Amino acid sequence: MEGWHGWDDYAPFYDWENARTVGRRDIRFWQRLAARFGGPVLELGCGTGRVSVPVARTVDGVVGIDRSDAMLHQAQRRVRRGRMDRRLRLVRGDVRSLPFLAASRFQLVMAPYGMLQSLLRDRDLQDTLRSVLGVLRRGGTFAIDLVPDLPRWGEYERRVRLRGRRRGGATRISLIESVRQDRSSQLTIFEQEFVERRGRTRTAHRFSLVFRTLSMRQMTGRLRRAGFTIETVSGDYRGGPWHPGADTWIVVVRKPG
Ligand SMILES: C[S@@+](CC[C@H](N)C(=O)[O-])C[C@H]1O[C@@H](n2cnc3c(N)ncnc32)[C@H](O)[C@@H]1O
């Protein structure tokens, strides 16, 4: 089981599903952070460009990296639609070994929307933190948004979770989902089946996504051990106080100057 599995299959449905879930509620937060710290900015696991593209409207020198070609293909389409070709660079690569030759170049590294939860083993997280430390400037900022409620999801089998139409209308889509928890490894496993119906044609796309959710104490401990200084820990996108039941966990850390 690998945290980067499944995303190629998910890519054509990612924006459709997320328009119905997270939407744009984190975008202002990332834009403000980028405006405050300035570029160059690196987004880890930029996916379809949901965050990178609006951030690239705010600051110069934005780079998005992702391991999934299919997610990057969706991002490329968004870049072209928004005429952002000159403002955002998309790179295919793995966050565990960031492929940037000039070390210490980024002022801000962002890990939005649970990106670090795709790292399923401690080793993967350690490699990523070491890699981020290497590409950040001295005094640079690493901001992390975690989706903390995954371990609280009840388990279920083949539940229809979403139904709707593709933009334009002719294709109907439904998402049939199963959820399992592997508590000993802190993993949440989603088995997803997207069914597309167009006229009398029915196509099913099946894949799994796995996420690992650490406690806040475990996450901040690993960040400190990797060499970061913890700046703020908050429980929403407006800087509200953190508590274990908060909707979102935001950790902002710094590379020592
Ligand atoms: C939850 S999505 C987030 C996408 C985007 N940041 C957003 O907020 O909409 C996680 C992304 O991380 C990518 N990913 C997972 N593991 C990765 C790895 N080891 N290296 C690079 N990208 C990875 C996936 O391909 C996926 O696009």
Side-chain angles (χ1 to χ4, degrees), residues 4 65-67 91-99 119 128 131:
W4 50 267
I65 186 166
D66 204 285
R67 190 178 162 120
V91 175
R92 179 163 189 268
D94 198 299
V95 298
R96 294 170 293 181
S97 53
L98 291 168
L119 302 165
T128 303
S131 207

Side-chain angles (χ1 to χ4, degrees), residues 11-16 47-50 53 57 69-85 88 90 166-167 196:
F13 304 101
Y14 183 87
D15 286 332
W16 180 84
T48 62
R50 191 184 64 83
V53 169
R57 292 189 198 285
D69 262 333
M71 292 293 273
L72 287 174
H73 176 72
Q74 299 292 329
Q76 216 32 283
R77 289 176 50 175
R78 185 179 244 130
V79 164
R80 251 180 267 123
R81 272 200 313 272
R83 297 177 199 277
M84 297 294 288
D85 309 58
L88 171 61
L90 297 170
R166 275 240 191 258
R167 208 184 307 185
E196 290 186 291

Side-chain angles (χ1 to χ4, degrees), residues 215-252:
S215 67
M216 182 59 92
R217 181 200 284 262
Q218 289 172 326
M219 182 55 88
T220 50
R222 280 151 177 80
L223 285 160
R224 276 198 197 92
R225 278 201 293 284
F228 290 99
T229 309
I230 312 289
E231 290 284 298
T232 57
V233 172
S234 35
D236 62 40
Y237 295 115
R238 293 175 310 281
W242 177 81
H243 58 93
D247 278 352
T248 182
W249 293 358
I250 295 166
V251 187
V252 177

Side-chain angles (χ1 to χ4, degrees), residues 172-231:
R172 284 177 294 145
I173 304 183
S174 42
L175 165 59
I176 303 163
E177 187 177 75
S178 306
V179 175
R180 275 189 301 119
Q181 301 284 359
D182 175 348
R183 301 215 182 271
S184 60
S185 309
Q186 298 177 290
L187 300 179
T188 307
I189 301 125
F190 290 85
E191 308 282 353
Q192 304 215 294
E193 180 176 322
F194 280 90
V195 178
E196 290 186 291
R197 288 192 187 78
R198 194 183 168 91
R200 294 165 66 174
T201 311
R202 177 188 188 279
T203 321
H205 309 260
R206 293 186 197 92
F207 56 91
S208 310
L209 296 171
V210 186
F211 302 94
R212 180 172 185 237
T213 309
L214 299 181
S215 67
M216 182 59 92
R217 181 200 284 262
Q218 289 172 326
M219 182 55 88
T220 50
R222 280 151 177 80
L223 285 160
R224 276 198 197 92
R225 278 201 293 284
F228 290 99
T229 309
I230 312 289
E231 290 284 298

